Amino acid sequence: MQKEDCFYLGKIVKKYSFKGEILAKLDTDQPELYENLDAIFLELRNNLVPFFVESSQLHKSELLRIKFEDVNEESDADAIMKSGLYLPLDLLPKLEGNKFYFHEVIGFSVNDVSFGLVGTIKAINDSTAQSLFEINRDGIEILIPMNDEFIVKVDRDNKTIIVDTPKGLIDLYL
């Protein structure tokens, strides 16, 4: 399995017991969706390695307590500490309406109701306080905040996002 075919689920943050159980911090708003997994890919030395889940349960809301098959001691758990957890993209719940996954909208066109065609989304910058669409317009980078009030419609069929940005925002970049 390649990393680009998967989504990041979370990270192993600490050991839970001397029997090899671990706690994983999940990067999701709905951790309960991932409580009964059969297998998870762990990132070990830049490779995704499948691990089979013996048991799992939610632990203190955003943590998932996991017991993997063949991880039976503290030393086994030490070997996988801080590993990223990944699942195949087809296991993501389908989103509808104006909700979307960041990876899903890369390559979508962005149209502003007043300005018209802004450009194509080349990336999502989520390293700031507010996530931003990074849009390419003929070699010029335009940043638009991913604010629910700005997003009018996500049109998956036409791979387009319609936004209504404050007057003059797009002109700042041109």
Side-chain angles (χ1 to χ4, degrees):
M1 181 71 60
Q2 299 298 315
K3 210 171 184 177
E4 50 274 1
D5 300 325
C6 294
F7 67 95
Y8 177 76
L9 179 62
K11 183 178 188 174
I12 296 175
V13 292
K14 64 183 175 182
K15 294 179 283 191
Y16 182 76
S17 74
F18 62 88
K19 296 178 184 171
E21 288 179 297
I22 56 90
L23 291 176
K25 183 166 182 8
L26 301 184
D27 184 24
T28 177
D29 295 335
Q30 298 175 296
E32 63 279 356
L33 293 177
Y34 305 101
E35 199 170 0
N36 298 308
L37 296 170
D38 296 324
I40 300 176
F41 289 97
L42 270 61
E43 184 177 26
L44 300 171
R45 294 182 284 292
N46 292 324
N47 291 313
L48 293 185
V49 179
F51 275 72
F52 294 95
V53 177
E54 202 171 283
S55 65
S56 64
Q57 67 183 60
L58 284 178
H59 180 81
K60 297 183 181 173
S61 71
E62 85 243 0
L63 295 175
L64 185 64
R65 179 174 145 196
I66 305 171
K67 171 69 178 91
F68 290 115
E69 288 180 11
D70 301 323
V71 177
N72 299 314
E73 300 174 4
E74 275 190 271
S75 59
D76 298 336
D78 283 333
I80 60 173
M81 286 308 295
K82 308 290 183 215
S83 295
L85 304 175
Y86 291 84
L87 288 173
L89 285 172
D90 57 7
L91 292 181
L92 276 174
K94 295 288 180 239
L95 296 180
E96 296 176 355
N98 287 347
K99 294 188 182 303
F100 55 86
Y101 295 111
F102 289 179
H103 71 271
E104 176 185 16
V105 297
I106 304 299
F108 276 37
S109 297
V110 176
N111 286 308
D112 183 83
V113 292
S114 302
F115 184 87
L117 179 64
V118 179
T120 305
I121 299 172
K122 64 177 184 172
I124 303 291
N125 181 341
D126 64 350
S127 64
T128 58
Q130 179 163 22
S131 297
L132 302 166
F133 289 120
E134 290 183 9
I135 300 165
N136 178 22
R137 180 183 173 86
D138 303 323
I140 298 168
E141 183 180 70
I142 297 173
L143 302 174
I144 295 179
M146 290 172 47
N147 183 321
D148 288 344
E149 294 171 20
F150 295 172
I151 299 171
V152 175
K153 183 174 189 225
V154 176
D155 183 349
R156 287 174 174 79
D157 295 334
N158 296 310
K159 294 189 178 281
T160 302
I161 295 179
I162 299 166
V163 295
D164 187 4
T165 59
K167 188 169 171 40
L169 176 71
I170 296 166
D171 294 324
L172 289 172
Y173 296 95
L174 306 176

